[in-house]
Amino acid sequence: MRKGIVATAGAALLLATFAGCSSGGSVETSDQPAASVDASENFNDDDVMFAQMMIPHHEQAIELSDIALDPTVGAGEEVRDLAARIKQAQDPEIVTMKNLLSAWGESLEMDSSMDHSDMMTGMLSVEELSRLSSLRGAEFDRAWVEAMIAHHEGAIEMALDVMLKGGNQDIKTLADAIVTGQESEIEEMSKLLAQLS
C-alpha cells in the first residue's frame, strides 16, 4: 500500500464537493464536507487509479452533456434538463478528484504505458462521439440516452470496485455519491428511453 504524502496543509484541507449526480438546483459548496487531513493521508493504489480513471470518464460525460445542450442538435427538453444536471454534478466531482490526487503528490493522469480501456466501460470512441454529434431531434435523443446509460453503468462499476478495494474515506464517499446519483439517473433515463422508442 502506498503511503500518502500531503503536499501542503492547504491541499490537504481541500473542499470536497460530493454532489449527488442526480441532484437538481445549484451546488452549494458551503454545505460540502472538507476533506480531513487523516482522510487525505490514507490512500492506496486503488484510490489513485480510480481518481485517475474517473476524471476522464466524467470529462466525457460533460462532453456528452455539452453536445446535448448545443441548440443545433435539437435535443428534447427532458434530455437537455438531464444533460444540465449531469454536468452540474460531475464538474465539482472532477475538481475533488484532482485536488485529492494533488494532495497525495500523484499525477492527474493515468500511466500512458498501461492500457486501462478494459477498466473504463461505457466510454465512447471518437467515432461514436462524432456520429452522435451528427444526429438531430428525436434520433439524437434516443442515441444520447442509450450512450449515457452505458456511460453511467461504467462509472457505477468503477465506483463499486473502489468502495471495496480503496482505502481513502473521501474517495469512498465520492464513489457512494456517484453510485446513488447515477443509479437514479439511469432509472430516469430508462423511463425516458421507453417513451422515445
Side-chain angles (χ1 to χ4, degrees):
M1 181 181 295
R2 179 181 299 154
K3 297 295 182 182
I5 300 175
V6 178
T8 64
L13 295 174
L14 59 93
L15 286 176
T17 47
F18 300 135
C21 289
S22 64
S23 60
S26 60
V27 177
E28 297 294 335
T29 55
S30 60
D31 295 332
Q32 304 301 332
S36 67
V37 174
D38 288 342
S40 293
E41 289 178 342
N42 299 316
F43 69 96
N44 61 24
D45 288 345
D46 291 294
D47 297 312
V48 173
M49 185 177 296
F50 170 80
Q52 289 175 337
M53 290 194 303
M54 191 60 82
I55 288 169
H57 204 277
H58 270 26
E59 286 173 342
Q60 188 175 88
I62 291 173
E63 183 178 2
L64 285 166
S65 297
D66 284 338
I67 293 171
L69 293 169
D70 181 347
T72 64
V73 303
E77 182 179 352
E78 289 176 293
V79 167
R80 294 195 310 273
D81 177 65
L82 264 166
R85 285 186 280 127
I86 288 169
K87 184 174 181 178
Q88 182 186 51
Q90 297 198 19
D91 257 331
E93 290 176 349
I94 290 172
V95 173
T96 293
M97 290 183 284
K98 286 183 175 180
N99 285 341
L100 283 170
L101 287 169
S102 295
W104 299 337
E106 297 288 343
S107 172
L108 301 185
E109 299 178 355
M110 295 175 286
D111 184 350
S112 59
S113 66
M114 299 177 65
D115 181 11
H116 298 287
S117 58
D118 61 329
M119 301 171 66
M120 296 176 64
T121 57
M123 292 282 281
L124 277 70
S125 67
V126 173
E127 292 77 15
E128 288 170 331
L129 282 171
S130 178
R131 180 184 178 278
L132 181 64
S133 299
S134 71
L135 301 178
R136 296 292 181 266
E139 187 179 11
F140 171 84
D141 288 348
R142 285 191 297 273
W144 186 89
V145 170
E146 288 172 349
M148 192 60 85
I149 288 173
H151 202 271
H152 273 20
E153 288 172 344
I156 290 170
E157 182 180 326
M158 292 163 61
L160 290 173
D161 187 61
V162 81
M163 287 170 71
L164 290 174
K165 300 176 182 177
N168 181 263
Q169 188 56 51
D170 291 331
I171 286 291
K172 289 184 177 183
T173 301
L174 175 61
D176 182 65
I178 288 171
V179 171
T180 300
Q182 296 199 18
E183 281 183 343
S184 176
E185 286 177 349
I186 287 174
E187 182 178 355
E188 182 180 351
M189 288 188 288
S190 296
K191 292 177 182 178
L192 177 57
L193 187 60
Q195 298 170 12
L196 293 169
S197 301

